[in-house]
């Protein structure tokens, strides 16, 4: 039987790895699929490529399909999330001058304590702080809002979060247009490499198990092509498992660094995959185990509660009705399709499709469809718990 | 008679911006402004408050415009129309599927059609000229390199021009490369050995 071609889009980032590995390492071929990979210059253009049918599947910021379902942002086509491609994988950084002020004030750049780093940042800058993010509907934006609110810093009063395309982030920091940024790797490491800034925190210090990029398709496509959707889910699940193996890191970084994909040095890309970071231009090293997750802890499972957490954050920010937002968002993450695609493959499938977010402190065995599922720590920096049932 | 449509063209390349503006002027009465500086794009556009924003679909700064849809509430102002660099019909699809996705508040798609058509036509013309110029330059460069490599082969082997070229061509075919590539490799290697 001949392979089916699926045009798929991605944005050049380290976490585009599952799509690229699925094609390059033959996981797509195992499902008789050929992924025609299209590199998109921006998130809005990738979203539109998907909406208008230029591609049938896309790596997408987790909040984009949720925002579309709520009717905010530029998309009017309904999207479905087939799986989570990556968990965490972003960094927060500051300009070199701000890094100096933080260091002078005694901040140790420990790279793991969101509360103390946040307080140091706000004390050093006051309310005028300007932070760059790649897209208004992104985990970067949501995590920053959550973090600043948790620190009782009202983002409405002075602190501004503005959109800066990742390739322009270094320039924006250098020219003083922004003081800090939250961006996906390798753009943070590139800013350090260019001497523009220093890294303050990994995104996971704010929420240790935040869905970052998802595999999105048009909802109509998912309905019309359930078989293809299942094959796609399985191919990407295998790619995620391969990427999670430390032995794959070197090769994964090499493949990603190719000119047609990220076109950046493998050494910089490998920092995120290995969790070994250079956080200042002076060479300070920090290690972040599990900086980015592709597989462990049922990382690929699209929890409806993840979609609802995002929806609630969006609703609060845009003044939408909370109840409606929760109701509309849940079904966007298709835990049902994910289950049916992976049943019988040996993949970890949780027993529920929604969970309390923020309760898992140490790795935990939870009830699965058959046997148990191991879950990884899932904590918010301020210890809060998100209960989708109570929120409604 | 409605007021002239106000248009902001976001384009860092001056020549290309002029070309698009010219095309728009031919298409109708518009109030046109060009933004060439990508920093603070959202602020600049908000200040000018245009009816339409024209930006290349491949411009990464496009994401900045998404902020406007949020800042001003859910879609209560028109934002982006796109100039298409690629030939994959994205613009046609965008127009079919969703000019209205970006254009609201009584601004009719029919009024935008000529704007978009003119901008795209000019943009494509410019791209074509650029490509042709680059191609011509490249061909000239290649010719020079091939001539040098040919000269080196003639000297080293004591053969004539046609024969030297035939040798280069055969090497290229054997390695599944272009003659210019083989010639460049030879010139580079000779430079290293000299």
């Amino acid at each position: 039987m001949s392979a089916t071609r699926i045009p798929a889009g991605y944005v050049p980032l380290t976490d585009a790895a599952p799509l690229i590995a699925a094609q390059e390492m033959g996981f797509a071929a195992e499902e008789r699929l050929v992924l025609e990979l299209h590199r998109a210059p921006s998130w809005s253009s990738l979203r539109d490529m998907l909406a208008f049918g230029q591609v049938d599947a896309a790596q997408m910021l987790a909040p984009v399909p949720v925002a579309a379902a709520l009717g905010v942002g530029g998309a009017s086509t309904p999207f479905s999330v087939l799986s989570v491609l990556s968990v965490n994988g972003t960094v927060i950084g500051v300009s070199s001058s701000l890094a100096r002020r933080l260091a002078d004030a005694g901040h140790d750049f420990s790279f793991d304590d969101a509360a103390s780093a946040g307080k140091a940042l706000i004390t050093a800058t006051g309310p005028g702080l300007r932070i760059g993010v790649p897209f208004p509907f992104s985990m970067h934006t949501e995590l920053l809002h959550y973090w600043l609110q948790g620190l009782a810093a009202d983002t409405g009063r002075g602190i501004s979060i503005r959109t800066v395309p990742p390739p322009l982030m270094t320039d924006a920091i250098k020219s003083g247009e922004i003081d800090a940024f939250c961006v996906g790797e390798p753009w943070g490491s590139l800013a350090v490499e260019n001497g523009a800034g220093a890294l303050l925190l990994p995104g996971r210090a704010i929420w240790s198990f935040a869905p970052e990029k998802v595999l999105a398709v048009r909802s109509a496509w998912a309905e019309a092509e359930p078989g293809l959707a299942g094959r796609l889910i399985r191919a990407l699940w295998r790619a995620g498992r391969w990427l999670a193996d430390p032995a794959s890191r070197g090769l994964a970084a090499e493949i990603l660094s190719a000119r047609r994909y990220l076109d950046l040095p493998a050494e910089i890309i490998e920092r995120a995959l290995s969790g070994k970071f250079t956080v200042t231009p002076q060479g300070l090293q920090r290690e972040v185990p599990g900086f980015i997750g592709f597989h462990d802890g049922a990382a690929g499972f699209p929890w409806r509660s993840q979609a609802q957490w995002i929806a609630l954050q969006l609703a609060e920010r845009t003044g939408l009705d909370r109840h409606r937002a929760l109701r509309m968002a849940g079904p966007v993450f298709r835990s049902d399709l994910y289950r049916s695609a992976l049943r019988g493959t040996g993949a970890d499938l949780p027993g529920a499709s929604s969970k309390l977010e923020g309760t898992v402190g140490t790795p935990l065995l939870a009830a699965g469809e058959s046997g148990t599922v191991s879950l990884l720590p899932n904590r918010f920096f301020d210890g809060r718990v998100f209960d989708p049932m109570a929120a409604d | 008679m409605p007021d002239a449509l106000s248009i902001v063209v976001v384009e860092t390349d001056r020549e290309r911006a002029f070309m698009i503006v010219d095309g728009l002027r031919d298409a109708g009465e518009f109030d046109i402004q060009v933004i060439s500086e990508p920093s603070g794009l959202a602020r600049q556009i908000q200040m000018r408050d245009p009816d339409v924003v024209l930006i290349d679909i491949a411009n990464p700064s496009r994401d900045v415009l998404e902020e406007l849809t949020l800042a001003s509430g859910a879609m209560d102002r028109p934002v982006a129309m796109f100039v298409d660099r690629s030939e994959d019909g994205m613009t046609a699809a965008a127009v079919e599927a969703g000019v209205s996705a970006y254009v609201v508040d009584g601004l009719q798609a029919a009024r935008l059609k000529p704007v978009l058509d003119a901008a795209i036509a000019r943009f494509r013309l410019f791209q074509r000229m650029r490509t042709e110029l680059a191609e011509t330059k490249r061909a000239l460069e290649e010719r020079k390199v091939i001539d040098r490599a040919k000269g080196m082969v003639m000297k080293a082997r004591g053969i004539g021009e046609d024969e030297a070229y035939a040798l280069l061509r055969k090497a290229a075919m054997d390695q599944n490369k272009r003659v210019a590539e083989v010639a460049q490799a030879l010139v580079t290697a000779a430079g290293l050995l000299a």
Side-chain angles (χ1 to χ4, degrees), chain A residues 74-334:
Chain A
S76 52
T77 308
F79 296 131
S80 289
V81 168
L82 299 185
S83 64
V84 173
L85 291 179
S86 56
V87 168
N88 304 131
T90 60
V91 290
I92 293 167
V94 295
S95 69
S96 295
S97 63
L98 185 46
R100 260 195 308 280
R101 268 150 66 201
L102 286 167
D104 290 346
H107 182 65
D108 59 0
F109 285 82
S110 67
F111 211 51
D112 58 0
D113 185 341
S116 79
K119 278 176 198 143
L121 182 64
I122 290 166
T123 310
T125 56
L129 179 62
R130 299 156 305 163
I131 311 178
V133 293
F135 202 61
F137 308 99
S138 61
M139 221 50 201
H140 316 81
T141 309
E142 302 311 338
L143 290 178
L144 283 176
H145 277 285
Y146 184 86
W147 182 43
L148 295 169
Q149 270 163 12
L151 294 164
D154 186 350
T155 49
R157 227 172 295 145
I159 296 180
S160 67
I161 296 178
R162 52 181 70 164
T163 308
V164 180
L168 304 182
M169 207 65 93
T170 298
D171 286 347
I173 273 278
K174 273 192 174 158
S175 69
E177 198 190 319
I178 50 174
D179 310 300
F181 57 83
C182 179
V183 74
E185 278 290 274
W187 296 103
S189 286
L190 276 170
V192 173
E193 213 56 21
N194 295 332
L199 302 184
L200 187 64
L201 278 179
R204 62 164 296 148
I206 297 171
W207 180 7
S208 63
F209 209 78
E212 174 56 34
K213 301 298 180 338
V214 296
L215 176 65
V217 299
R218 289 180 301 285
S219 298
W221 187 89
E223 295 309 321
E225 302 281 3
L228 273 185
R231 283 152 67 186
L232 199 52
I233 290 169
R234 284 193 293 275
L236 284 156
W237 180 80
R238 290 200 184 94
R241 187 177 54 176
W242 180 78
L243 286 166
D245 182 350
S248 310
R249 275 174 204 152
L251 180 53
E254 278 303 323
I255 293 172
L256 287 170
S257 79
R259 179 182 269 255
R260 54 189 292 245
Y261 296 127
L262 270 61
D263 196 15
L264 292 167
E267 186 266 321
I268 306 271
I269 295 169
E270 203 167 348
R271 291 183 192 176
L273 298 176
S274 64
K276 293 192 175 85
F277 283 90
T278 301
V279 299
T280 66
Q282 293 72 38
L284 185 65
Q285 302 288 310
R286 291 288 181 243
E287 203 155 331
V288 189
F291 169 78
I292 186 167
F294 295 110
H295 180 75
D296 296 335
F301 191 83
W303 295 91
R304 295 190 190 266
S305 43
Q306 292 173 334
Q308 289 176 316
W309 184 86
I310 293 167
L312 209 55
Q313 297 291 115
L314 279 173
E316 272 167 19
R317 217 141 45 77
T318 56
L320 291 171
D321 181 68
R322 291 163 52 100
H323 301 291
R324 187 176 166 276
L326 282 169
R327 220 174 33 247
M328 305 287 281
V332 174
F333 277 38
R334 298 298 300 271

Side-chain angles (χ1 to χ4, degrees), chain A residues 369-381:
Chain A
E369 274 200 357
S370 53
T372 55
V373 170
S374 55
L375 298 179
L376 290 176
N378 181 349
R379 282 278 197 203
F380 294 102
F381 82 100

Side-chain angles (χ1 to χ4, degrees), chain A residues 41-49 51-52 54 71-76 134-137 161-168 175 177 314 317-318, chain B residues 38-43 57-70 74-75 82 88-91 93-95 97-99 101-102:
Chain A
S42 68
W43 289 110
S44 41
S45 82
L46 182 51
R47 180 200 60 206
D48 291 349
M49 281 162 78
F52 304 153
Q54 255 73 29
V72 289
S76 52
F135 202 61
F137 308 99
I161 296 178
R162 52 181 70 164
T163 308
V164 180
L168 304 182
S175 69
E177 198 190 319
L314 279 173
R317 217 141 45 77
T318 56
Chain B
S39 71
L41 185 60
R43 232 174 14 259
I57 208 156
N59 188 330
S61 291
R62 223 196 104 183
D63 279 352
V64 175
L65 302 180
E66 298 288 323
E67 203 173 294
L68 298 176
T69 68
L70 193 63
M75 309 304 299
F82 309 110
D88 62 7
M90 177 90 165
T91 308
V95 172
V99 164
Y102 292 100

